[in-house]
Amino acid sequence: LSEILKKVCKHKGDFSLACFEVMLSRLKLAQLLTNTCRLPISLSGNSMKTDSMPLVRENTLPPEELTVMEYDTLSCASRRIGQNNLREFFFGHRPPPSHPQELPKMRWIHMDRLALRLLLSLTVKYNLHPFSVEDVMEQCSTKLERYGGHYFAVVEELRLVSSPDGTEPVQVQGVHLAVFCAGPPFLDTVITVTEKDRDEKEDWPGGPVRGNV
């Protein structure tokens, strides 16, 4: 790609590889956030489909939200990112440090259920490794990996749940937790995704579990 840019740009400094990558990232974000591109897979039941999908329009999607927390040793602020401010978040930047010697604030982004469009948008914004993103979609087993300057971990949890009044039998609930540690060189961005285990009915008989994770 660097050689192609050298051929296209006759004068040194006309167009850098970094600028080209930013431009492509913003174009892909715009496609994802406006629902004008086809999602590469669909999650259906306990399996993944890779066949061709029609364009997904915004009014057919369930509500998609992120919880974002920005903090340092002196302050902490939390906000919800939904349909009204998705584009502002994905195309914006966190506030710069108030002093040159200070590090940027830590940012924790949490997704409390797997929303494919948001996950792919986070992948583009924070350059998450495709192998780790695939592991989230496939609900891989517990693991800890390093991909370049990023770290990735998956934890499979088991919980016991029952009705508050004790009239129903106790059931086992599986939860899949994925953690990305991104933003080199400071690793100042943590992304977590939680989702109910899609193989729960097969692994732990007893019917579906009530409520959301």
Side-chain angles (χ1 to χ4, degrees):
L1 186 56
S2 298
E3 294 300 321
I4 294 176
L5 288 177
K6 290 180 182 178
K7 297 293 184 181
V8 173
C9 303
K10 297 181 179 179
H11 303 287
K12 185 177 180 180
D14 281 353
F15 201 57
S16 67
L17 178 59
C19 290
F20 184 67
E21 290 177 344
V22 169
M23 182 183 68
L24 288 182
S25 296
R26 289 183 172 269
L27 286 173
K28 179 53 66 177
L29 275 176
Q31 288 181 322
L32 288 167
L33 296 177
T34 56
N35 298 306
T36 55
C37 70
R38 298 178 186 273
L39 298 180
I41 68 165
S42 63
L43 298 173
S44 177
N46 295 339
S47 61
M48 295 172 54
K49 294 183 179 180
T50 57
D51 49 336
S52 177
M53 295 176 57
L55 288 176
V56 180
R57 297 302 176 187
E58 189 166 349
N59 57 7
T60 66
L61 293 170
E64 298 176 345
E65 288 188 336
L66 298 170
T67 301
V68 178
M69 183 177 296
E70 294 174 348
Y71 61 93
D72 56 18
T73 57
L74 300 176
S75 62
C76 178
S78 177
R79 54 184 169 138
R80 297 288 289 180
I81 305 297
Q83 295 295 334
N84 295 331
N85 54 355
L86 271 179
R87 299 178 192 178
E88 177 186 350
F89 170 74
F90 278 102
F91 287 101
H93 302 279
R94 73 190 74 185
S98 57
H99 192 276
Q101 301 300 324
E102 294 180 358
L103 295 176
K105 286 188 174 183
M106 289 290 298
R107 172 176 281 179
W108 177 16
I109 305 168
H110 179 64
M111 186 187 306
D112 60 7
R113 64 176 181 83
L114 179 57
L116 183 56
R117 182 175 66 130
L118 291 186
L119 179 61
L120 295 179
S121 298
L122 291 170
T123 301
V124 174
K125 182 175 177 65
Y126 293 106
N127 295 315
L128 304 179
H129 198 282
F131 287 170
S132 59
V133 176
E134 182 181 10
D135 284 340
V136 174
M137 293 188 290
E138 293 183 346
Q139 292 196 338
C140 71
S141 302
T142 297
K143 66 186 301 186
L144 176 62
E145 297 282 356
R146 178 177 178 179
Y147 297 107
H150 296 175
Y151 292 88
F152 173 70
V154 172
V155 178
E156 294 178 292
E157 301 181 27
L158 292 178
R159 302 173 181 174
L160 297 179
V161 296
S162 63
S163 59
D165 56 8
T167 58
E168 297 181 16
V170 175
Q171 294 181 329
V172 178
Q173 181 186 71
V175 179
H176 194 263
L177 168 64
V179 182
F180 298 87
C181 189
F186 301 116
L187 297 177
D188 54 8
T189 301
V190 176
I191 302 171
T192 53
V193 182
T194 56
E195 186 186 23
K196 287 197 298 185
D197 188 351
R198 291 194 291 270
D199 295 328
E200 184 177 86
K201 294 181 182 180
E202 299 176 6
D203 296 340
W204 305 98
V209 177
R210 304 171 307 282
N212 296 324
V213 176

